[in-house]
Structures are given as C-alpha cells and as structure tokens.
Amino acid sequence: MNRSQSISLFRIISLIGVYGGLLMPLVFIPVVIFPFVFSKLIAFQILIGLTFPAYLALIWLEPEMRPKKHWLLIAVFAYFVALALSVVTAIDPSRAWWGNQERMNGLFTLLHFLAWLLMATSLLKTWKQWKYLLQFEVVLSVIMALVALYQKIDPKILLFPAGDRVGGLLDNPIYQAVYQMFNLFFLALLFMRTSDRRARIWYVVLALIDLWAFFAAQSRGELIGLFVGIALFTLCVAATTKIRKIRYGVFGFAAACVLAYGTLFALRNTSIVHNSMLARLTDFSSSVDTRFIAWNIAWQGFLERPITGWGLDDFHILFNQKYNPLSLRFTVYETWFDRSHNSVLDVLSMTGLIGFITFCGIYVALFWNVWNAYKKRWIDVPLMAISVSLPVAYFVQNLFVFDHPAGFSMSFLMYGLIIAATRPEFLGRTEEIVADTKNIKVDPKTAPKKRPVPWVALGILQLVGVILVWRTSVLPFQASHLSILSNDAYSVHDYDSMLAYAQQAAAIWTPYIDEQSFLLGRNLIDMQGNGQLSGYAHWKDLYTLARDLNQQEFAAHPLDTHNSFVYARFLQEMDTLVPEDAALAEQIYKQAIQSSPKRQQLFQGLAQLYAQEGRLTDLLNIDKELIGFDPEYGESHWNYGLALMYDKGDVQNGVQEIKLSQTVSYPYHIQNVRELIGLADAYIVLKDMDGLKNAVAILQDNFSLIGQTQDAANVYAQLAYKYQVEKLIDQRDQILALGKQIDPTVTQVYAQMLQAKGPNGNPLSIPTAQTTTAATTTKALAPGGPRR
C-alpha cells in the first residue's frame, strides 16, 4: 500500500470515528446495568479508541490535516486542563477520573469527546462536508424521535415501561428534549442554507417529527431554552439581514411560536390541554424547593473549595456532607443528588474558579470567533444566527439540569461546527486566505519532505488502543453483563447460576463495582426476607462475595455515603445469619454518618439495628435526635412514638408523638394496613373517636396501596377487634369488608378472637411492639431512586 492509499485509508477510518460517534445516542444494549447510558458510552469509547490511532497517523503524514489554531478550540483545551486539575485535587480522584456507571461523566469519558472533536475539526473543513454530517445527524434524530413517540403507543417497547413523559432510546425525557433541541437548530440551518425546494420540504417534515418528540418529553427547562434560542435567532437575523423576505419570514415564525404557546397557556385549564402531553409545559407551579436546596449546597461547596472545587463528578460527596434534612420532606428520591441540577453551579462547585473561568471562556471565545468571522464575511447570516442562538439555548436549559451523554454528543458537534464555520475556507472565501496555493511555486529543494507511513508506530499505537479499549471498556462491559445475568438468575430462583455469574463478574477488573455490590446485596436481602437464603446450600459463599464486594467499594470510596449506607444495611439485614457482623454494620453506619451528619436514613437504619439488638436507650436517643433535624417531618415523630409506646412502655408520651406525626406540616403517610394498628391504639388512648374514624377513611382511600400485608386475616381481625371494643360498629364492618377482599377467612379469625377475648377486651394487648416498629422503619431504608 503506497503513501496515497494509506492516507485515504486513514482518512476513511477517521471518518468512521466521526460519523460513528453520532450513532452513540442510538446505541441500546439491554444486557448491562444502566443500558441507556453505560452501553452507549462504552460503545463510544470503543469506537474512538480504535479509530483515533489512524487519525494520529493521518495528521503525521499530512500536517495540513492537523487542527489549526482557533480560540474556541484553545478555550475547550483550557477547560479540559481545569477538569484535569479538579481530578488531581479531587476529594475522590478515582470517581472524578472514571465517573460512575449511571452517569459515565468522569474525565476519562470526556476525553473521548475531546478526541472526537479533534477528528471532526481536522477532517471536515467546508460547509459541504459539514452539511453531509448534519444531514446524517438529523436523520438519526428522526429515528430517535420515532422511537420515543412509539412509546406513547407501546410504553413497554424498551426495557423499562415509559411514563407520560417519553425518553425513547435515551430513557430520560430531559435527555430526549435536549437532543431534539439541538437538532431543531441544525434543521433550521440546513433549511436556510439551501435553495432546493424539495430539500426544504423534507427539512420541515423532519423538524415537525423532532418537535413532536420534543413536546412529548414535556421538559420545561428545555422549552425555556428553545424559546430563548428562537428569540435570539430572530433578533440576530432581523438585525443583520438586508433581505426583507427573510426578515419577515423569521419574524413571522417567531410570532407564530409566541402565538401558539400563548394560546396553549391561555387554554391550560381546559380538558383538551389538561389531558394532553402539553399540560406539563404550561404548569410551572411545581415545587422547586429541592433544587434550591441543591443550589445552595453547591454554592456553599464553592465557597469552601473555591480554586479547583471538590472534583469532577464528586458533587455527591459535597451534597451529603452538607445535606439539608428538609430534603426528605419531598420523598426519599429527592435526597440523593449527585448533581445540583444547574450546570453553572456544578462547574463552580466541582471545578472551582479555574473551571468556571475556563468554562465561561468557551462561550467568550465562541461568540468572539462568530462575530469576527461575520465581520470578515466568512459566514453568512444563517450561520451567524445559529452559531449565536444555539449555544445560548443550550446554556439556558443547562441552568435547570445537568450535562449528560446526549448533551455532550450534541454540544461537541456544535463546537466542531462553529470552529469550522468561523474559518475563511468554510464557505470558500479563498480571498481571505493568506495565499492562493495554485500560484505558489514550490522549490523542490526547500519543500518539506513527505513523511513515510509510520507503520511500526501505528502498529504500536493501535495495540495500545486495543489494550486500552479491552481494559477500560470491554472488561467493565463484561462485568456489568455478568452482573445482569446473575440478577436474572436470581429472578428465576436459579441460585447456583446466580452465584456463578456473580463470582465471574467479581473476578473481572472494573472501576464500577458499586452496582455489582448493590444488586447482589439487594438480592440477598430479599432472599433473607423471604426465608430462602438460609435454606440455600451455598449461602455463605453468596454472603462472603457480597460482603467482599461491598467492603472493596467502601475502601475505594469511603466518602460515598450511599454506598456506605447500602453496605451497612446489607450487614444489618444479615444479622440473624451472621450476628458477628452486627458490630461492623454499626461501624459502617457511624462512618457514613460522619460523611453525612444530618441524613435521616442513616440514623433510621442505625435505630433499626439497635432495635434488633434490644438497645432501647440507644434507639430512643437516635429517634429523638431525628426529630431535632426537622420537627415538622412526621415520620420522625411516628418512629419515636412507636418506640416510646411499645418498647419503653411510655404510652402517654408515645401517643402524643404519634398524634404529632399526623398533624405536623409534613405528616407521616401510613405505608401498610399493619401500621394502622399503631395509629388506632394511639387514638384509643387519646379517646379521639374522630381520629379512629379517619384511620378507617385512610384505609378506604388508599386501599390499593396499603391494603396488602402478610398474615392479612390476623391483621384485619385485630384492627376490627379494636373498633369493636370502642363500639365503632360501622367502622368495624368496613374493616372486615376490606379484609375479606384480601383474605376471605378474616371473619372467621375475628370471630375466634371475639370469642376468646370477649367484646370488651384490652385493645392495647395487640400488636407486639417489634412488629409495628420494624414494619415502619424498613421503608426508610430504601437506598435511593429507581436504579436502571
């Protein structure tokens, strides 16, 4: 293969990397943990890792193919230097470098996007070349849109059922909206830069499909970003174009957008809008309290570490250390933040002033280059308007969310386009280039020698690339896949395969151990709860493996509160099988509390551990301390009241706490019909007949959610018996009627109870304290939100 053929080959391979990188959002391999993120980024890393060596060989052979000096490219490099500094000085450098499996936002992954940007800006330098790439991208966006829209017809088309808001192959509706927002601007650029009527019709059709998918995502932050972008685009065109037809067309489009949304907002309370997917886009009244809490924590973190921040992807450590107990008022899901949901504050808190200045520098360089290119007439009005409005739209929507793989994919595509577009050769403005190469006579004696093809160096680079890909992408993918196989085997009660797959996964190196340890530990807890673990012959091997994985993750990331919580809970749930590890569970809980001193879930877990061990004084001290974190949060009063009434025997103070749990600003919501027994006992002691009647109303109104329980006949019979004693016969009959829907034998159990105790027995003799307390506390131990 001669030199010319080699250059062509290397260019083709590099172009595969560029075009293939845009396929990343479409990748969906449902055989790993977090397939909507992890499988995409692993595929992207493999693609760049295998094609980048050919790009290096290409720019070695052809120096003119190397990236040229450009202020935006320099600004992007400066930002990556800031990211690297934040990794070196991070609270958890390993997490800052690798990220985690759910987000894949570590510097290692981001460097692949930087490599993609270099390849794109080196290989694609003219509008014609970029037009083909953008056409390829918008076709992909329509595929993404159609998959998302099909979820409205068949919500189960992908691995997890879709809700009212659809995310398609990105799963998260916010990610889908951001992705489509970029493509709407790309389609606008393609539309304005062609005079082909047929092409324009197609661009309009594609834009309508993408816009439909954008609205189906029902993401308000992205809607604000899109509107700001459209407004700025309109101003840019109106202020610069001299063609009235274009000016009137753009103004007409902007006016139509305003009129359409204004009409929609005016009709927001009508059934047509209220029952449509557009309803959420007209409702901005939802609580943002948790966002304000996270934003305040991010600002506090910046003030504490202002130079290089807490470290890239280490916001979870900051959030946990400064955790605000008020977060639990808005459900457990709102208490585990690994981002502030504001990209500017994320940059400030995680990368400090250096990161923030270089982050702002990207926008400064971008706008300066666009303005300079427009002044020199290197770009036309459509390119200028899109190059200004799209970055602003992206920035505005990022004030409400955080960056993610789909966002990175599109933002680096945007950077590459603007870098290319603000050079004189992009639109063929050859008169602005320093010299016309055709008229330059080159002296063969002084001309630089053509470099030979570096086959040996390329072979070494390619080998290094393959090893790197295998080590950092393929092996983690394989470990994640084996963990899913182990989880699947558990679901069909094939415990031997579950153990074998888990052992194989544990034997493979991966920086993402936390999800392996979580899945295996969760499954063992379920087996223990169902009484199946002790009956399995190799339960000790399962336990030891899960314990070692959790210990390994705990040692690697001791400040990761969530993983510490999961580890402590696992040890606690295994208490009856391995009682000697109870002391270790207490130690892990206390260390987790040091990393998050006011997180209620940690104290609740430790309180349950003390309850299991019969350490009443320690239990009561923790429950009382929890009330101090947030006196208006009902669950803390509920747990403390149960412990006082049943465990300590302090009935009077206990019932007052239980009553408080129902009357504070954020009352405790009964989770199970069994808990109504404790509530009924409190109202009986207080002689609160209205409260007793309301307890039955709670059961009736929430029967589908709280009606099921183990040993239903006995639970409903006990509850009915208490109402019999209080002579609330109508409520007693209602309880028995509901109980019969769960277990028809409830009336027989009740009759036996009535015969044994008589109609005026002591209602407080039932239930036992531990049954009620355990049922209440276990709910609080859920480690976090949905794990996909």
mmCIF file of all heavy atoms in Angstrom, residues 382-398:
data_model
loop_
_atom_site.group_PDB
_atom_site.id
_atom_site.type_symbol
_atom_site.label_atom_id
_atom_site.label_comp_id
_atom_site.label_asym_id
_atom_site.label_seq_id
_atom_site.Cartn_x
_atom_site.Cartn_y
_atom_site.Cartn_z
ATOM 1 N N PRO A 382 -27.447 33.059 8.255
ATOM 2 C CA PRO A 382 -27.941 31.848 8.922
ATOM 3 C C PRO A 382 -26.900 31.205 9.841
ATOM 4 O O PRO A 382 -27.227 30.815 10.970
ATOM 5 C CB PRO A 382 -28.302 30.936 7.754
ATOM 6 C CG PRO A 382 -28.580 31.851 6.623
ATOM 7 C CD PRO A 382 -27.631 32.990 6.794
ATOM 8 N N LEU A 383 -25.665 31.101 9.359
ATOM 9 C CA LEU A 383 -24.622 30.508 10.183
ATOM 10 C C LEU A 383 -24.356 31.349 11.426
ATOM 11 O O LEU A 383 -24.194 30.815 12.529
ATOM 12 C CB LEU A 383 -23.339 30.354 9.372
ATOM 13 C CG LEU A 383 -23.222 29.084 8.531
ATOM 14 C CD1 LEU A 383 -22.082 29.198 7.530
ATOM 15 C CD2 LEU A 383 -23.018 27.872 9.435
ATOM 16 N N MET A 384 -24.312 32.657 11.254
ATOM 17 C CA MET A 384 -24.078 33.531 12.396
ATOM 18 C C MET A 384 -25.207 33.410 13.420
ATOM 19 O O MET A 384 -24.964 33.273 14.624
ATOM 20 C CB MET A 384 -23.946 34.980 11.913
ATOM 21 C CG MET A 384 -23.655 35.998 13.015
ATOM 22 S SD MET A 384 -25.138 36.585 13.876
ATOM 23 C CE MET A 384 -25.988 37.412 12.541
ATOM 24 N N ALA A 385 -26.442 33.456 12.943
ATOM 25 C CA ALA A 385 -27.587 33.422 13.856
ATOM 26 C C ALA A 385 -27.664 32.100 14.628
ATOM 27 O O ALA A 385 -27.907 32.089 15.843
ATOM 28 C CB ALA A 385 -28.877 33.651 13.080
ATOM 29 N N ILE A 386 -27.451 30.982 13.934
ATOM 30 C CA ILE A 386 -27.478 29.678 14.598
ATOM 31 C C ILE A 386 -26.303 29.544 15.554
ATOM 32 O O ILE A 386 -26.439 29.029 16.673
ATOM 33 C CB ILE A 386 -27.456 28.543 13.551
ATOM 34 C CG1 ILE A 386 -28.750 28.521 12.746
ATOM 35 C CG2 ILE A 386 -27.214 27.187 14.232
ATOM 36 C CD1 ILE A 386 -29.976 28.162 13.547
ATOM 37 N N SER A 387 -25.114 30.036 15.146
ATOM 38 C CA SER A 387 -23.913 29.910 15.978
ATOM 39 C C SER A 387 -23.997 30.739 17.251
ATOM 40 O O SER A 387 -23.258 30.492 18.201
ATOM 41 C CB SER A 387 -22.675 30.340 15.171
ATOM 42 O OG SER A 387 -22.474 29.495 14.064
ATOM 43 N N VAL A 388 -24.891 31.725 17.279
ATOM 44 C CA VAL A 388 -25.094 32.528 18.486
ATOM 45 C C VAL A 388 -26.258 31.978 19.312
ATOM 46 O O VAL A 388 -26.153 31.821 20.531
ATOM 47 C CB VAL A 388 -25.359 34.000 18.117
ATOM 48 C CG1 VAL A 388 -25.813 34.790 19.343
ATOM 49 C CG2 VAL A 388 -24.104 34.630 17.528
ATOM 50 N N SER A 389 -27.372 31.669 18.659
ATOM 51 C CA SER A 389 -28.590 31.310 19.389
ATOM 52 C C SER A 389 -28.542 29.903 19.977
ATOM 53 O O SER A 389 -29.045 29.677 21.085
ATOM 54 C CB SER A 389 -29.810 31.450 18.480
ATOM 55 O OG SER A 389 -29.672 30.657 17.316
ATOM 56 N N LEU A 390 -27.954 28.943 19.268
ATOM 57 C CA LEU A 390 -27.917 27.570 19.777
ATOM 58 C C LEU A 390 -27.091 27.455 21.059
ATOM 59 O O LEU A 390 -27.553 26.841 22.033
ATOM 60 C CB LEU A 390 -27.407 26.615 18.701
ATOM 61 C CG LEU A 390 -27.243 25.150 19.117
ATOM 62 C CD1 LEU A 390 -28.528 24.596 19.712
ATOM 63 C CD2 LEU A 390 -26.797 24.303 17.920
ATOM 64 N N PRO A 391 -25.874 28.019 21.123
ATOM 65 C CA PRO A 391 -25.147 27.949 22.396
ATOM 66 C C PRO A 391 -25.895 28.603 23.558
ATOM 67 O O PRO A 391 -25.839 28.116 24.691
ATOM 68 C CB PRO A 391 -23.833 28.695 22.091
ATOM 69 C CG PRO A 391 -23.657 28.586 20.624
ATOM 70 C CD PRO A 391 -25.046 28.628 20.059
ATOM 71 N N VAL A 392 -26.585 29.709 23.277
ATOM 72 C CA VAL A 392 -27.342 30.369 24.348
ATOM 73 C C VAL A 392 -28.508 29.494 24.805
ATOM 74 O O VAL A 392 -28.772 29.359 26.002
ATOM 75 C CB VAL A 392 -27.846 31.746 23.873
ATOM 76 C CG1 VAL A 392 -28.819 32.339 24.887
ATOM 77 C CG2 VAL A 392 -26.670 32.691 23.654
ATOM 78 N N ALA A 393 -29.217 28.879 23.856
ATOM 79 C CA ALA A 393 -30.316 27.979 24.210
ATOM 80 C C ALA A 393 -29.802 26.818 25.057
ATOM 81 O O ALA A 393 -30.427 26.429 26.055
ATOM 82 C CB ALA A 393 -30.981 27.449 22.940
ATOM 83 N N TYR A 394 -28.650 26.282 24.677
ATOM 84 C CA TYR A 394 -28.039 25.171 25.424
ATOM 85 C C TYR A 394 -27.657 25.630 26.835
ATOM 86 O O TYR A 394 -27.902 24.916 27.818
ATOM 87 C CB TYR A 394 -26.817 24.691 24.654
ATOM 88 C CG TYR A 394 -26.011 23.604 25.324
ATOM 89 C CD1 TYR A 394 -26.597 22.404 25.707
ATOM 90 C CD2 TYR A 394 -24.645 23.769 25.539
ATOM 91 C CE1 TYR A 394 -25.859 21.401 26.304
ATOM 92 C CE2 TYR A 394 -23.896 22.765 26.135
ATOM 93 C CZ TYR A 394 -24.497 21.595 26.516
ATOM 94 O OH TYR A 394 -23.761 20.601 27.099
ATOM 95 N N PHE A 395 -27.078 26.822 26.942
ATOM 96 C CA PHE A 395 -26.674 27.350 28.239
ATOM 97 C C PHE A 395 -27.888 27.572 29.139
ATOM 98 O O PHE A 395 -27.872 27.216 30.327
ATOM 99 C CB PHE A 395 -25.916 28.666 28.044
ATOM 100 C CG PHE A 395 -25.469 29.311 29.322
ATOM 101 C CD1 PHE A 395 -24.273 28.946 29.918
ATOM 102 C CD2 PHE A 395 -26.247 30.284 29.949
ATOM 103 C CE1 PHE A 395 -23.857 29.535 31.105
ATOM 104 C CE2 PHE A 395 -25.842 30.880 31.129
ATOM 105 C CZ PHE A 395 -24.634 30.500 31.712
ATOM 106 N N VAL A 396 -28.944 28.146 28.590
ATOM 107 C CA VAL A 396 -30.139 28.447 29.388
ATOM 108 C C VAL A 396 -30.778 27.176 29.923
ATOM 109 O O VAL A 396 -31.117 27.097 31.114
ATOM 110 C CB VAL A 396 -31.152 29.264 28.556
ATOM 111 C CG1 VAL A 396 -32.498 29.353 29.273
ATOM 112 C CG2 VAL A 396 -30.609 30.656 28.285
ATOM 113 N N GLN A 397 -30.951 26.155 29.073
ATOM 114 C CA GLN A 397 -31.573 24.921 29.572
ATOM 115 C C GLN A 397 -30.687 24.238 30.608
ATOM 116 O O GLN A 397 -31.174 23.550 31.495
ATOM 117 C CB GLN A 397 -31.916 23.988 28.411
ATOM 118 C CG GLN A 397 -30.743 23.399 27.652
ATOM 119 C CD GLN A 397 -30.177 22.161 28.287
ATOM 120 O OE1 GLN A 397 -30.909 21.365 28.882
ATOM 121 N NE2 GLN A 397 -28.868 21.982 28.168
ATOM 122 N N ASN A 398 -29.369 24.447 30.512
ATOM 123 C CA ASN A 398 -28.460 23.843 31.482
ATOM 124 C C ASN A 398 -28.533 24.514 32.851
ATOM 125 O O ASN A 398 -27.941 24.016 33.807
ATOM 126 C CB ASN A 398 -27.018 23.903 30.968
ATOM 127 C CG ASN A 398 -26.570 22.587 30.366
ATOM 128 O OD1 ASN A 398 -27.173 21.546 30.628
ATOM 129 N ND2 ASN A 398 -25.528 22.615 29.568
#
